[in-house]
Amino acid sequence: MYKLETKIDTNSEEFKRNKEAFKSILDTYRETLREVKSSGHPSAIKKHKERGKLLARERVDLLIDPNTPFMELSPFAAYGQYDNQFPSAGIVTGIGVIHGKETVIVANDATVKGGTYMKETIKKHVRAQEIAMENNLPCVYMVDSGGVFLHDQANVFPDKYNFGRFFYNQARLSSMGIPQISIVMGSCTAGGAYMPAMSDETIIVKNQGTIFIGGPPLVKAATGEDVTAEELGGADVHTSISGVSDHFAENDHHAIQICRNIFETLRAREKQYIETTPIEEPAYDPEELYGIAPTDLKKPVDSREIIMRIVDGSRFHEFKARYAPTIVTGFANIMGYPVGIIANNGVLFSETALKGAHFIELCDMRKIPILFLQNITGFIVGKEYERGGIARNGAKLVHAVACANVPKFTVVFGGSFGAGNYAMAGRAYDPRLFFMWPNAKISVMGGEQASSVLVQVKQEQLAAKGQTFPKEEEEAMRKGILEKYETEGSAYYSSSRLWDDGIIDPVDTRKVIAMGIAMSLNQKFPEHKFGVVRM
């Protein structure tokens, strides 16, 4: 592979201006991330600690192997919603390593509304289980939850992907031989009681963990019986009488050690083999990405400049370098793992789509994971292109993305608009992980295009009635649409609703993708197979 040569002058005024603008974006990102990771109200944290309990992220830190990273997913879930009363949606999810085994971890944060579940909490929990299923990863549930957030019951209880989906997924995961381990570290009530009951092995903490279908107030109302939580479903009851739990723990630390002991007994999984190389740092400083990342999406960015600051040795074997230049395709290594990269350098033409589809076929045949780097306005439009078959050829790319059986990973480093989002492995196309940089934008089209389209539609509607559109009303409409798209297109709006798996610092892209590839190797890649494409 050849080392890429940068064309960026890091001493130029333009680079310095962009770097300052991006650092302002990054400062906002880091401060917001600190806020959402600070758990619940200080009084709730104080009460939690007084009970001798660890915070959710402290529990995770103790569970994973020392000096190994934890890739937290969707920390911005529910941000900007519900008056920010549900930081991180009251749950911590992510991927960590326990006794050398990549593992999905789900930890309730009882300092946030008692660890209860609202819409985004459920979506986040289910997404973690999906990742476990796709990548053959064991699951650990650190349970400390009051169950459904009753005020939001219509959004969390009855639908297919609501609260009941957890237990369905647990059953399916276990049937696939994917271990399900629960540590009951607090309340586990009503439907939530099935989480430990449906696990392969369950640990419960003395004087803290409780499991019951109906709590003391419900028992009193239904039967008139007076009973304490501990008598009804405490650790002693469930480890010596009911058998619902398998291991009795003295405290959080003891419970976590028992869980780690269980992982020593899990069988090794048959992994997908891919040939790796020694890890090598990029030849160019990844922090230079701060001066390159697009802060103004109208300005083009050569995606090779992004690639060379992510891949090992900044080496890249480009495929079809002279053909269809609005997409960059080629092979590289990231922290030793081979990867095929598809990156945007402009709009998608017919030739671009064909080039991308061809490259995806190569990756799929060779069992090489694919990284999509998105900065896309969409497919080209116009009479010439429609007659030239842009829909037919664009469909080939979309088909290849949908049917590729190797792991796909997507990072939005600029814009992600329209059908370009789909063609570049957007959320709807099941990438194993989907991340955004804090400057990224995502929507059906840019705000200016949307405002122009909607204003034109309004003008035509009025003209059909013999009326005109007053200039001041037109400007007000245009401004409102621009503001709406600016808000709803932001990375934070997306991440709050779990349209992605999180917002990441650009310099962490390399590490995050390497961790993603490592986790994906826990399951053999399916054989190469595509359906019919319109020739």
Side-chain angles (χ1 to χ4, degrees):
M1 295 185 189
Y2 294 102
K3 177 190 165 187
L4 293 172
E5 296 293 334
T6 186
K7 296 178 181 176
I8 298 287
D9 179 4
T10 57
N11 293 315
S12 70
E13 288 303 315
E14 182 182 5
F15 180 88
K16 290 175 181 176
R17 279 195 304 271
N18 197 79
K19 189 172 183 178
E20 284 304 308
F22 193 86
K23 282 204 167 181
S24 176
I25 293 171
L26 202 60
D27 287 343
T28 300
Y29 161 74
R30 287 171 175 164
E31 176 58 26
T32 309
L33 184 61
R34 186 194 63 76
E35 288 176 13
V36 299
K37 283 183 153 187
S38 62
S39 292
H41 193 275
S43 63
I45 295 172
K46 183 173 181 289
K47 187 181 294 185
H48 189 86
K49 289 283 194 179
E50 286 172 349
R51 290 173 177 161
K53 299 168 75 172
L54 297 168
L55 297 175
R57 289 179 177 84
E58 292 173 339
R59 288 167 172 169
V60 172
D61 287 344
L62 283 173
L63 179 65
I64 62 176
D65 292 349
N67 302 315
T68 60
F70 175 65
M71 183 163 63
E72 185 169 344
L73 301 170
S74 304
F76 292 97
Y79 175 71
Q81 302 185 72
Y82 316 102
D83 296 321
N84 284 325
Q85 292 182 37
F86 284 89
S88 292
I91 195 169
V92 177
T93 64
I95 299 148
V97 176
I98 306 174
H99 278 297
K101 300 174 179 71
E102 287 89 6
T103 304
V104 165
I105 301 169
V106 177
N108 298 117
D109 187 346
T111 71
V112 179
K113 301 292 184 182
T116 53
Y117 282 75
M118 29 70 80
K119 183 170 66 173
E120 282 73 19
T121 324
I122 289 174
K123 198 170 182 182
K124 189 169 171 178
H125 188 133
V126 169
R127 172 61 182 151
Q129 290 178 316
E130 286 175 352
I131 290 171
M133 200 173 291
E134 289 169 346
N135 298 283
N136 194 25
L137 304 180
C139 298
V140 173
Y141 306 98
M142 307 180 95
V143 187
D144 196 347
S145 167
V148 163
F149 184 61
L150 296 178
H151 298 287
D152 198 33
Q153 69 88 22
N155 290 317
V156 298
F157 174 69
D159 207 355
K160 180 176 180 179
Y161 291 103
N162 284 173
F163 200 79
R165 194 71 179 188
F166 305 158
F167 319 125
Y168 173 86
N169 284 342
Q170 277 187 272
R172 297 290 301 159
L173 285 158
S174 186
S175 75
M176 295 164 67
I178 300 174
Q180 304 291 291
I181 313 297
S182 283
I183 314 176
V184 182
M185 312 176 96
S187 180
C188 193
T189 308
Y194 289 107
M195 196 173 300
M198 296 189 70
S199 293
D200 299 4
E201 290 192 56
T202 296
I203 305 152
I204 187 168
V205 178
K206 170 186 172 184
N207 295 329
Q208 298 288 1
T210 54
I211 305 170
F212 31 63
I213 300 300
L218 185 59
V219 171
K220 174 70 173 175
T223 69
E225 181 183 7
D226 284 306
V227 63
T228 67
E230 194 66 24
E231 291 170 334
L232 185 63
D236 187 57
V237 169
H238 286 310
T239 55
S240 65
I241 301 173
S242 75
V244 171
S245 187
D246 310 298
H247 305 279
F248 181 97
E250 295 290 337
N251 50 43
D252 281 6
H253 288 82
H254 186 207
I256 289 166
Q257 186 56 56
I258 294 170
C259 183
R260 287 185 54 79
N261 292 347
I262 290 170
F263 267 74
E264 289 187 282
T265 72
L266 301 184
R267 64 179 176 82
R269 286 153 287 175
E270 186 179 6
K271 294 200 172 194
Q272 173 66 44
Y273 171 78
I274 58 175
E275 192 169 341
T276 58
T277 58
I279 297 172
E280 191 177 351
E281 291 299 313
Y284 300 98
D285 185 354
E287 288 204 6
E288 291 175 358
L289 291 169
Y290 298 153
I292 299 167
T295 54
D296 179 356
L297 296 184
K298 294 175 186 174
K299 293 182 179 178
V301 173
D302 185 350
S303 56
R304 293 177 188 84
E305 298 289 349
I306 305 290
I307 292 168
M308 68 181 75
R309 289 163 176 85
I310 293 174
V311 303
D312 289 5
S314 300
R315 286 191 297 274
F316 185 60
H317 177 59
E318 191 163 351
F319 174 74
K320 283 187 181 290
R322 300 178 64 193
Y323 181 75
T326 61
I327 200 169
V328 174
T329 56
F331 298 99
N333 288 78
I334 294 180
M335 297 190 79
Y337 294 111
V339 63
I341 297 176
I342 302 177
N344 298 120
N345 252 4
V347 297
L348 296 170
F349 294 88
S350 282
E351 295 84 357
T352 322
L354 294 172
K355 174 179 171 178
H358 184 173
F359 183 72
I360 289 169
E361 284 192 307
L362 292 180
C363 292
D364 208 55
M365 286 283 285
R366 297 173 187 177
K367 296 198 179 325
I368 295 175
I370 305 172
L371 169 60
F372 292 82
L373 295 174
Q374 283 199 19
N375 183 23
I376 181 65
T377 55
F379 285 89
I380 193 69
V381 296
K383 183 171 72 174
E384 173 190 349
Y385 303 106
E386 295 294 352
R387 293 184 175 189
I390 183 64
R392 178 188 66 240
N393 292 319
K396 290 187 176 72
L397 176 58
V398 171
H399 186 104
V401 173
C403 293
N405 281 323
V406 292
K408 304 185 291 277
F409 303 91
T410 305
V411 175
V412 183
F413 71 89
S416 179
F417 300 115
N421 168 278
Y422 303 153
M424 288 293 293
R427 187 63 134 182
Y429 286 76
D430 279 344
R432 299 292 177 98
L433 295 170
F434 182 101
F435 291 103
M436 300 181 76
W437 286 4
N439 58 303
K441 301 287 184 185
I442 185 167
S443 54
V444 69
M445 62 178 70
E448 290 187 8
Q449 292 91 333
S451 63
S452 295
V453 169
L454 293 172
V455 165
Q456 184 177 341
V457 169
K458 184 69 173 178
Q459 287 171 337
E460 290 172 355
Q461 288 173 341
L462 291 172
K465 299 176 183 178
Q467 300 172 359
T468 58
F469 196 8
K471 193 68 176 175
E472 61 275 13
E473 291 183 24
E474 178 185 322
E475 287 305 313
M477 180 179 179
R478 194 180 298 275
K479 181 182 178 185
I481 294 166
L482 283 169
E483 289 174 352
K484 176 181 174 67
Y485 270 69
E486 181 65 23
T487 298
E488 295 181 359
S490 82
Y492 296 101
Y493 194 92
S494 167
S495 219
S496 174
R497 289 153 182 80
L498 288 98
W499 299 343
D500 55 60
D501 291 311
I503 304 171
I504 59 172
D505 185 325
V507 301
D508 290 334
T509 303
R510 169 179 164 79
K511 178 177 69 176
V512 165
I513 297 304
M515 291 175 69
I517 295 173
M519 96 181 166
S520 74
L521 300 180
N522 285 287
Q523 183 157 278
K524 291 275 190 177
F525 302 164
E527 289 305 311
H528 170 75
K529 185 177 181 181
F530 284 90
V532 174
V533 295
R534 189 173 295 277
M535 302 303 289

